[in-house]
Amino acid sequence: MHEKTAKPSSASPSGGLSVREARACILGKTAPLGTEDIALERALGRVLAMDVRANRDLPPRDISAMDGYAVQAADIANAPTTLQIIDDIRAGDVPRVALRHGQCARIMTGAPVPDGADTVVRVEDTRPGPDGAVDILVPVQAAADIRRRAETLRQGDIVLRAGTGIAPGTVGVLATVKQATVTVYRQPRVAILSSGNELEALREPFDPARIPDTNTYALMAQVQAQGVEPEILGIARDDPAELSGFLERGLGYDLLLVSGGTSVGVHDHVRPTLAALGVTMHFWRVEMRPGHPVAFGTSGKTLVFCLPGNPVSSMVCFEQFVLPALRALSGQRHLFRRTLPARLSQAVKSRPGRIEFVRVTLAPGASGIHEARCAGSQSSADMPGMARADGLLIVPSASKGLAAGDIARVQLLETGAYQAEAEPGDDA
Ligand code: AMP
Ligand code: MG
């Protein structure tokens, strides 16, 4: 068999890599795909493949930050005082006259400051004066409430760099610099295949003797959560010829995800069949729980992940390995889930030798640090527990387990970014 296994740095009982070694192996073989030009309206979630410069100064000249009166600071130093109103300037107007001493102009937010004025007084600090005049009630600091020319953007400056993930704020900046079309990295084409004789497809009739195909859809959703629409290839029986047909199709994509049939059972044909199709297998087995029998290979530029059949294992392996690879292919520079420290509210057992990813829910804790509680049984088949989890708590491979009250790091999952109530005090 065609297996060029990456060497684990530390001797491990079953010869597997560490998670770090496995990621390094994968990312060493992963590069952003080509680029394409798309309309700004479709750019959310994509990754910029170009540096973007400001095409004008913004604001284009000094403008008012408030509704009020443009004045000369020297005139109001001894306020209260009364000034003659000589102009009324709205946003979009071009001021016609320059201010002289004793004069002011009514001015709206965003309107250009007239020549001769150096300060804006807010309406709240004034009251209507005698005919055609306004009473300025208090002195204000010179230059107050003026937004300077080019304060936000200076023409020619780089405002966004290649590699920036396009979030709603980024779309706002791109629109501001009139980038109606943007050059972004191409999105990976992803194929998903499940394997196993026992699997019952989602829309097949219910058969109590079979196992519903969970992985196709959980993996589909993990890919979709990255903004990519995968292709579902279906379910291959544990038969080398049938598998071969499916896998051959899958090798036409940038990334192929196969779940099941990657372990040591006599009917686990996925890895040998891939090898027979010319896929170079770079590793099999990672010292982690769940997810130990994961394997990775490449065929030309196609990345192939063989994920364990157990649904939780398959999702956890996606999080650790497929997600960074998918993001790297998409041109993202931030490849990994955000982690945060959390305090365990119960003990977790662990056998040393494998890093463990414990499915936890998070709740705001007393000292500002989150409280982590186990979600479900931690069996690698417990999908409801996985579905409830806000994150994966990391028990390092050397650890014999953690006690209640211990602090550990948690990788946030998609659901981990929200909470039920606003934090008391955050909205006071
Ligand atoms: P395997 O990796 O093929 O040995 O499968 C390990 C376990 O995961 C077995 O109990 C399988 O029935 C189960 N399994 C494999 N593929 C799927 C799938 N697509 N959906 C749900 N369970 C699966
Ligand atoms: Mg199987």
Side-chain angles (χ1 to χ4, degrees), residues 194-195 198-199 211-216 259-263 268 308-311:
S194 283
S195 76
E198 74 281 27
L199 297 181
I211 299 293
D213 173 15
T214 306
N215 296 352
T216 292
S259 73
T262 183
S263 203
D268 289 339
N310 273 310

Side-chain angles (χ1 to χ4, degrees), residues 245-291:
F246 274 105
L247 292 173
E248 209 174 343
R249 234 190 103 197
L251 292 176
Y253 290 76
D254 299 310
L255 200 161
L256 169 60
L257 302 178
V258 190
S259 73
T262 183
S263 203
V264 288
V266 285
H267 301 295
D268 289 339
H269 301 296
V270 171
R271 288 176 304 110
T273 307
L274 282 169
L277 289 169
V279 175
T280 307
M281 297 307 293
H282 301 290
F283 67 75
W284 172 44
R285 290 174 166 170
V286 174
E287 295 306 325
M288 62 190 284
R289 192 178 296 111

Side-chain angles (χ1 to χ4, degrees), residues 321-335:
F321 307 119
V322 184
L323 179 121
L326 187 59
R327 292 178 67 80
L329 288 175
S330 309
Q332 297 276 8
R333 309 272 159 97
H334 294 184
L335 304 184

Side-chain angles (χ1 to χ4, degrees), residues 308-327:
N310 273 310
V312 175
S313 313
S314 139
M315 286 192 76
V316 169
C317 286
F318 183 99
E319 285 291 322
Q320 308 314 317
F321 307 119
V322 184
L323 179 121
L326 187 59
R327 292 178 67 80

Side-chain angles (χ1 to χ4, degrees), residues 87-422:
D87 202 358
D88 192 353
I89 311 167
R90 294 166 304 174
D93 286 351
V94 178
R96 287 152 299 179
V97 279
L99 290 195
R100 291 200 306 260
H101 282 300
Q103 298 181 331
C104 70
R106 186 178 291 116
I107 193 164
M108 300 297 130
T109 305
V113 175
D115 289 344
D118 57 14
T119 299
V120 168
V121 182
R122 304 173 183 208
V123 185
E124 300 89 307
D125 294 332
T126 69
R127 108 184 136 210
D131 207 25
V134 61
D135 294 333
I136 308 289
L137 303 177
V138 291
V140 301
Q141 215 183 344
D145 290 323
I146 292 179
R147 288 181 50 217
R148 294 291 171 200
R149 171 178 185 166
E151 185 179 290
T152 306
L153 299 176
R154 183 167 299 280
Q155 183 176 5
D157 282 359
I158 292 180
V159 291
L160 294 168
R161 299 230 173 238
T164 302
I166 301 179
T170 327
V171 172
V173 173
L174 289 165
T176 305
V177 300
K178 305 281 284 179
Q179 204 74 52
T181 302
V182 287
T183 305
V184 296
Y185 289 103
R186 184 164 76 68
Q187 282 188 307
R189 292 172 311 116
V190 179
I192 297 174
L193 177 66
S194 283
S195 76
N197 286 348
E198 74 281 27
L199 297 181
E200 178 182 275
L202 181 64
R203 293 186 171 82
E204 262 184 325
F206 173 80
D207 174 351
R210 297 172 74 194
I211 299 293
D213 173 15
T214 306
N215 296 352
T216 292
Y217 297 93
L219 291 168
M220 170 199 78
Q222 287 180 298
V223 173
Q224 286 172 332
Q226 295 300 312
V228 174
E229 197 53 50
E231 185 75 22
I232 293 174
L233 300 184
I235 298 170
R237 304 291 135 198
D238 293 319
D239 164 67
E242 185 175 323
L243 250 180
S244 186
F246 274 105
L247 292 173
E248 209 174 343
R249 234 190 103 197
L251 292 176
Y253 290 76
D254 299 310
L255 200 161
L256 169 60
L257 302 178
V258 190
S259 73
T262 183
S263 203
V264 288
V266 285
H267 301 295
D268 289 339
H269 301 296
V270 171
R271 288 176 304 110
T273 307
L274 282 169
L277 289 169
V279 175
T280 307
M281 297 307 293
H282 301 290
F283 67 75
W284 172 44
R285 290 174 166 170
V286 174
E287 295 306 325
M288 62 190 284
R289 192 178 296 111
H292 185 247
V294 62
F296 169 70
T298 51
S299 166
K301 289 195 163 175
T302 303
L303 308 181
V304 186
F305 290 88
C306 306
L307 304 171
N310 273 310
V312 175
S313 313
S314 139
M315 286 192 76
V316 169
C317 286
F318 183 99
E319 285 291 322
Q320 308 314 317
F321 307 119
V322 184
L323 179 121
L326 187 59
R327 292 178 67 80
L329 288 175
S330 309
Q332 297 276 8
R333 309 272 159 97
H334 294 184
L335 304 184
F336 303 103
R337 290 281 188 204
R338 189 181 288 276
T339 61
L340 49 76
R343 191 185 304 281
L344 266 164
S345 50
Q346 67 199 102
V348 292
K349 289 198 202 108
S350 176
R351 258 178 298 147
R354 289 184 187 176
I355 190 172
E356 209 153 316
F357 295 96
V358 180
R359 282 73 76 198
V360 295
T361 56
L362 296 174
S367 51
I369 187 166
H370 283 79
E371 293 279 342
R373 183 174 294 280
C374 289
S377 70
Q378 305 300 315
S379 143
S380 55
D382 185 1
M383 271 304 277
M386 180 70 190
R388 277 200 307 280
D390 295 317
L392 300 174
L393 181 137
I394 297 164
V395 185
S397 60
S399 170
K400 294 195 180 106
L402 300 173
D406 281 357
I407 292 177
R409 295 203 73 82
V410 176
Q411 280 179 0
L412 290 180
L413 296 170
E414 296 297 331
T415 49
Y418 300 94
Q419 58 187 31
E421 314 259 354

